[in-house]
Amino acid sequence: MKKFINHVDDFLVETLSGFASAHSDLTALNLQPTYLERKVLTPGKVALVSGGGSGHEPLHIGFIGRGMLDAACPGEVFTSPTPDQMMAAAQAVDTGAGVLFIVKNYSGDLINFEMASDMSNLATATVLINDDVAVENSRYTTGRRGLAGTVIVQKLVGSLAETGADLEHCKAFGDRVNKNTASMGVALTSCIVPEAGTTTFEIGDDEVEIGVGIHGEPGRRRDKLMSADAITAELLEAICNDLQPAQGSEVLLVVNGLGATPLSELYLLFNCAQKWLDKKGLSVSRSLVGNYTTALEMAGASFTLCILDEMTKEHWDSPVHTAALRWGA
Amino acid sequence: MKKFINHVDDFLVETLSGFASAHSDLTALNLQPTYLERKVLTPGKVALVSGGGSGHEPLHIGFIGRGMLDAACPGEVFTSPTPDQMMAAAQAVDTGAGVLFIVKNYSGDLINFEMASDMSNLATATVLINDDVAVENSRYTTGRRGLAGTVIVQKLVGSLAETGADLEHCKAFGDRVNKNTASMGVALTSCIVPEAGTTTFEIGDDEVEIGVGIHGEPGRRRDKLMSADAITAELLEAICNDLQPAQGSEVLLVVNGLGATPLSELYLLFNCAQKWLDKKGLSVSRSLVGNYTTALEMAGASFTLCILDEMTKEHWDSPVHTAALRWGA
């Protein structure tokens, strides 16, 4: 295992400490239980709390700040956070308008967020993200998995919440965005969970895993390495078969790196995707290219499409100030 | 070779096309000769032009925009751009106040930028970046190599240029920042140049290359994998021996990923570095963590320290709007 690490047991705390220290203007780290909270809260705003296993950085900690999350609960690497983390985070950032949990659809996360909801005295609601069209059920899920669509939901609902929208409207908007968002990924290499010390799965030097999950879960099929154009076509075909966007639709296209894929290749994939979508009569009017929902040091990428309308465009374009996403005034 | 790629010969153009398309609000791509220029130029502002071999993205194309570069000339992967690229870029973005070339100290880049200067009718000056303390001369250099310190010089001088400073002052400031900036890197794995198709160098599963260059050039020494704390101490010791910062100095700390290292490990390294610098009585008052000066899919990282004063802090904090660095109004 070749990583920048001191002791496996300290990996998470040292990473989170570094993050909180580098972004001390945005967020503060709490330990026992572990969560990061936004430094400046807005009284009366619905609080957005997300979380999940670590190893997907910048998800979720990198999205704490103005226009996105109020708190994030990182579990150990690829391990769900516990209900006490979620409850403590929710209590820390609730300012009276209630708490919206944004949860990727993995069984452990879902159960623990539900438990936190049940145990809490706060008004809570949950948006479940299940944008991965690759497989119906999977190693850690009943139903579809959550991928980089999570970032889109966090950005759009985060923006709506800043306008003073109530919990019910924030949840409804999140559910709608999730429904209009679909993703699929591809892996060239495995990742290595620090606690395990060895690769999560084996893959040949000339193979790709089409539809991989962000913990290295199996996808749809294994194939020989194909051209970037062929990979793009297969992933976007699956995504569009699911989303069924109307001819002429405007879409947000996210090309997300899984951790070890250079930016040059992600932009090359963006170019492939743009050409493919042009031919299908879809218009890429917003885009995001980079590492946003990763799987440790996995080489690979995922595409996400979100069908846009006036409301979603407005909330995508609105100011955001987090460690990993920042624009606007 | 496992990359998202169609044909090796098209790698650069497809990557640049994707980039220009994803960031069409900021920059436009010109081919024959190849350069990217800023969409909105400020008449009377000194134009900043940088460039070098591709494969280090987001350097340099990702730093075109308000408060940084006016143009970038990407060569083929790890290959210097040609003088005609540089001349065409300079002519495209000069608005009468002259052109400042910001050049990493690699022999091919230097010679070609000098040739472009000589052949051009424009007023030009050059800032040479040589922040890498690892080795005095190297495979592609006479004198020290340029690393992620380049981004700091581009940011700070880019900010000064926006204030209307003249060419002479911009050059003098760039030289001063370069002198107060030092870097050193470490590799865990090699990279693969698309045209070559095989790893640039061999490295054992339990080895690290201390002081590696961003093309996989040899560093100071090869060792067995050490703890993140031990690696951090060795790199920062070398950097501080060179910079000799006064006790109590404020520094900008950049923890830069070389391409395949996850953000979690970069933040862990940031944590190690902060502790080490605290003990030495240095104060990290500004920081940047992420992939900014990469070496394709190399796993590894570099540290950069820049000694700060009031002027450099002001220009670091000033607004910047580029694809890879963005903050402020």
Side-chain angles (χ1 to χ4, degrees):
Chain A
M1 177 173 66
K2 232 174 180 181
K3 290 180 191 283
F4 294 116
I5 198 167
N6 289 307
H7 301 287
V8 168
D9 293 346
D10 302 329
F11 180 75
L12 183 60
V13 169
E14 291 185 28
T15 291
L16 296 178
S17 298
F19 178 83
S21 173
H23 302 291
S24 59
D25 55 327
L26 290 172
T27 184
L29 172 62
N30 187 81
L31 295 172
Q32 296 172 327
T34 302
Y35 64 87
L36 287 102
E37 65 182 305
R38 186 171 162 188
K39 273 260 171 96
V40 181
L41 300 176
T42 308
K45 185 186 86 66
V46 169
L48 268 60
V49 175
S50 201
S54 294
H56 308 298
E57 290 71 24
L59 197 75
H60 299 273
I61 56 175
F63 301 119
I64 297 171
R66 181 178 169 205
M68 286 185 83
L69 301 180
D70 295 280
C73 310
E76 291 294 323
V77 173
F78 293 180
T79 303
S80 295
T82 52
D84 64 312
Q85 291 178 255
M86 298 159 181
M87 275 188 61
Q91 272 154 1
V93 298
D94 177 61
T95 62
V99 176
L100 185 69
F101 292 130
I102 299 179
V103 184
K104 301 193 300 303
N105 185 34
Y106 296 95
S107 304
D109 293 359
L110 186 57
I111 291 167
N112 289 354
F113 270 107
E114 275 176 357
M115 211 180 289
S117 271
D118 291 346
M119 289 159 62
S120 153
N121 298 322
L122 309 171
T124 66
T126 298
V127 174
L128 199 63
I129 313 296
N130 62 350
D131 54 317
D132 186 357
V133 303
V135 289
E136 187 45 41
N137 296 305
S138 179
R139 190 180 296 162
Y140 306 117
T141 61
T142 305
R144 301 177 358 169
R145 303 175 293 211
L147 293 184
T150 311
V151 178
I152 299 174
V153 173
Q154 290 172 349
K155 169 69 182 82
L156 297 182
V157 181
S159 169
L160 180 66
E162 296 283 352
T163 69
D166 66 15
L167 185 59
E168 189 187 352
H169 282 91
C170 287
K171 174 180 164 50
F173 186 48
D175 286 340
R176 182 162 76 83
V177 173
N178 177 61
K179 209 177 147 196
N180 287 323
T181 301
S183 302
M184 190 159 148
V186 54
L188 304 188
T189 69
S190 177
C191 52
I192 296 175
V193 175
E195 287 80 359
T198 55
T199 49
T200 301
F201 63 95
E202 294 305 311
I203 184 164
D205 280 346
D206 58 349
E207 290 181 324
V208 290
E209 179 73 25
I210 303 280
V212 71
I214 52 172
H215 312 92
E217 310 97 297
R220 285 191 179 182
R221 66 191 194 88
R222 183 71 62 95
D223 203 342
K224 297 292 176 191
L225 183 60
M226 298 172 281
S227 71
D229 277 331
I231 290 171
T232 301
E234 181 163 351
L235 298 187
L236 290 180
E237 195 85 56
I239 289 169
C240 286
N241 280 344
D242 180 82
L243 271 186
Q244 298 285 339
Q247 269 277 334
S249 293
E250 281 187 71
V251 294
L252 160 61
L253 166 63
V254 179
V255 180
N256 172 61
L258 293 181
T261 289
L263 204 49
S264 49
E265 294 179 42
L266 298 181
Y267 280 115
L268 190 146
L269 287 174
F270 181 86
N271 193 54
C272 300
Q274 173 114 47
K275 283 187 301 178
W276 192 93
L277 293 165
D278 274 354
K279 275 190 198 150
K280 296 285 172 183
L282 297 169
S283 162
V284 179
S285 79
R286 301 291 187 280
S287 65
L288 188 67
V289 181
N291 295 315
Y292 294 101
T293 301
T294 63
L296 296 167
E297 70 277 78
M298 189 184 288
S302 64
F303 290 108
T304 301
L305 285 188
C306 171
I307 301 173
L308 295 172
D309 56 29
E310 291 312 309
M311 183 177 177
T312 46
K313 280 193 284 186
E314 176 197 327
H315 288 296
W316 182 256
D317 294 342
S318 67
V320 59
H321 182 174
T322 68
L325 218 57
R326 184 165 176 181
W327 59 68
Chain B
M1 176 173 67
K2 230 172 183 185
K3 290 179 191 284
F4 294 116
I5 196 167
N6 289 307
H7 301 288
V8 168
D9 293 346
D10 302 329
F11 181 74
L12 184 59
V13 169
E14 290 185 27
T15 292
L16 296 178
S17 299
F19 178 83
S21 173
H23 302 290
S24 59
D25 55 326
L26 290 172
T27 185
L29 171 62
N30 186 81
L31 296 171
Q32 298 173 326
T34 303
Y35 63 87
L36 288 102
E37 65 183 303
R38 186 169 161 189
K39 273 261 172 95
V40 182
L41 300 176
T42 309
K45 185 185 86 68
V46 168
L48 268 59
V49 176
S50 202
S54 294
H56 308 298
E57 290 72 24
L59 196 75
H60 299 274
I61 56 176
F63 301 119
I64 296 171
R66 180 178 170 204
M68 287 186 84
L69 302 180
D70 295 279
C73 309
E76 291 293 324
V77 173
F78 292 0
T79 302
S80 295
T82 53
D84 65 310
Q85 290 178 258
M86 297 159 182
M87 275 187 63
Q91 273 155 3
V93 298
D94 178 60
T95 61
V99 176
L100 185 68
F101 292 131
I102 299 178
V103 184
K104 301 193 299 302
N105 185 34
Y106 296 95
S107 305
D109 293 358
L110 186 57
I111 290 167
N112 289 356
F113 269 107
E114 274 176 356
M115 212 179 290
S117 271
D118 291 347
M119 288 159 63
S120 152
N121 297 321
L122 309 171
T124 65
T126 298
V127 173
L128 200 63
I129 313 295
N130 62 350
D131 53 316
D132 184 358
V133 303
V135 289
E136 186 45 42
N137 297 304
S138 179
R139 190 180 295 163
Y140 306 117
T141 62
T142 306
R144 299 178 359 172
R145 302 174 293 211
L147 293 184
T150 311
V151 178
I152 299 174
V153 173
Q154 291 172 350
K155 170 67 182 84
L156 296 183
V157 181
S159 169
L160 180 66
E162 297 282 352
T163 68
D166 66 16
L167 185 58
E168 189 187 351
H169 282 91
C170 287
K171 174 180 163 51
F173 186 47
D175 287 340
R176 180 162 77 82
V177 173
N178 177 60
K179 210 178 146 194
N180 287 323
T181 300
S183 301
M184 191 158 147
V186 56
L188 304 188
T189 69
S190 177
C191 53
I192 296 174
V193 175
E195 288 81 356
T198 55
T199 49
T200 301
F201 64 95
E202 294 305 312
I203 185 164
D205 280 346
D206 58 349
E207 290 180 325
V208 291
E209 178 73 25
I210 303 280
V212 71
I214 52 172
H215 312 91
E217 313 97 294
R220 285 192 179 181
R221 66 191 194 88
R222 183 70 62 94
D223 203 342
K224 297 292 176 191
L225 183 60
M226 299 171 282
S227 72
D229 277 331
I231 290 171
T232 301
E234 180 163 351
L235 298 186
L236 290 180
E237 195 85 57
I239 288 168
C240 287
N241 280 344
D242 180 82
L243 272 186
Q244 298 286 337
Q247 269 277 335
S249 294
E250 281 187 71
V251 294
L252 159 62
L253 167 62
V254 178
V255 180
N256 171 61
L258 294 180
T261 290
L263 205 49
S264 50
E265 294 179 42
L266 298 181
Y267 280 115
L268 190 146
L269 287 174
F270 181 86
N271 193 53
C272 299
Q274 174 115 47
K275 284 187 300 178
W276 192 93
L277 293 165
D278 275 353
K279 274 190 197 150
K280 295 285 173 180
L282 296 170
S283 161
V284 178
S285 78
R286 302 290 186 281
S287 65
L288 188 68
V289 181
N291 295 315
Y292 294 101
T293 301
T294 62
L296 296 167
E297 71 277 77
M298 188 184 287
S302 63
F303 290 109
T304 301
L305 285 189
C306 172
I307 302 172
L308 295 171
D309 55 31
E310 290 311 309
M311 184 177 176
T312 46
K313 279 193 284 187
E314 176 196 327
H315 289 297
W316 182 257
D317 294 341
S318 67
V320 60
H321 181 175
T322 68
L325 218 58
R326 186 167 176 179
W327 59 68

